[in-house]
Amino acid sequence: MIELTILDLLYLVLTFFLVIVGTILTLVLLRVFKILSVGVEISNYYWQWKKMLTYYSQVPFVIKDKIFDMLAETDNSEKQSQKTQEKDPML
């Protein structure tokens, strides 16, 4: 028969305890990660929608700014052509 000392029994109990606790902890962490992955996916959808709505809300301002820039360029070119005509009426 195998003789086991108290220290050997303690090592065996500790080993079994660590295996059982490690397995349970692993299963719990896998469940938590599964639940958190759904939360992360929902938050990603939220940020994508928020970004898209922000871009759509800025579209009219961008168009308006381009129109004002085009008008400002034409006004500047007209003013420059008037100044050159005032300086040299032959042009």
Side-chain angles (χ1 to χ4, degrees), residues 37-53:
S37 67
V38 173
V40 168
E41 191 172 348
I42 290 172
S43 69
N44 285 339
Y45 285 131
Y46 167 75
W47 288 112
Q48 286 176 353
W49 277 100
K50 185 175 179 182
K51 196 184 305 183
M52 188 171 22
L53 289 174

Side-chain angles (χ1 to χ4, degrees), residues 3-5 8 10 13 16 18 21 45 49-50 52 54 58 66 70 75 83:
E3 290 186 28
L4 294 174
T5 63
D8 291 334
L10 286 174
V13 169
F16 289 132
L18 288 177
V21 168
Y45 285 131
W49 277 100
K50 185 175 179 182
M52 188 171 22
T54 303
Q58 292 176 357
K66 285 186 179 181
M70 288 173 32
D75 287 343
K83 286 181 183 178

